[in-house]
Amino acid sequence: QVQLVESGGGLVQPGGSLRLSCAASGFTFSMYHMSWYRQVPGKEREWVARIISFGSTYYADSVKGRFTISRDNAKNTVYLQMNSLKPEDTAVYYCKAEFRLQNYWGQGTQVTISS
């Protein structure tokens, strides 16, 4: 049974940091490209960052220089380190696993940036 379980969300003041985790099970994690997306109510889900199976990383312009995606294949976990957080980063954050035609999503974790 495939599972992606996000954690680490919460309420943080502007300028603060959070680290999100996404623990995977039920598939060969090391073979999958992993991504983080985010969504606010009434808007399309937005791609945030991606790390491919052999480690190259890619970021949306809106988070470049502030967010870092990483993976630990031994722990079947992908991370999103978020620094210098802004109110516009407020969203539900989802992780996604991709391999060829297979896509899996987690249930999401809420991140709220507010003073």
Side-chain angles (χ1 to χ4, degrees):
Q1 179 183 1
V2 171
Q3 276 196 309
L4 292 172
V5 180
E6 298 98 334
S7 61
L11 172 63
V12 177
Q13 291 188 341
S17 298
L18 278 175
R19 189 176 82 152
L20 305 183
S21 300
C22 173
S25 60
F27 61 96
T28 308
F29 178 78
S30 60
M31 295 177 64
Y32 279 66
H33 308 319
M34 300 299 297
S35 298
W36 286 96
Y37 285 73
R38 64 188 182 187
Q39 189 170 25
V40 298
K43 291 193 174 182
E44 297 273 324
R45 192 167 292 189
E46 174 192 25
W47 170 73
V48 174
R50 176 180 173 91
I51 182 166
I52 60 177
S53 57
F54 47 89
S56 297
T57 57
Y58 306 88
Y59 298 93
D61 288 343
S62 58
V63 307
K64 203 171 291 183
R66 299 188 299 122
F67 290 12
T68 302
I69 188 171
S70 61
R71 66 191 297 159
D72 185 337
N73 289 339
K75 295 183 178 180
N76 288 355
T77 301
V78 62
Y79 304 97
L80 186 68
Q81 177 67 44
M82 306 187 295
N83 299 328
S84 303
L85 284 161
K86 305 175 182 180
E88 52 264 42
D89 294 318
T90 295
V92 178
Y93 283 71
Y94 299 89
C95 68
K96 179 184 178 183
E98 303 168 72
F99 179 66
R100 295 180 179 171
L101 298 180
Q102 293 178 316
N103 294 295
Y104 306 122
W105 290 91
Q107 84 292 345
T109 185
Q110 176 70 48
V111 171
T112 303
I113 313 304
S114 175
S115 54

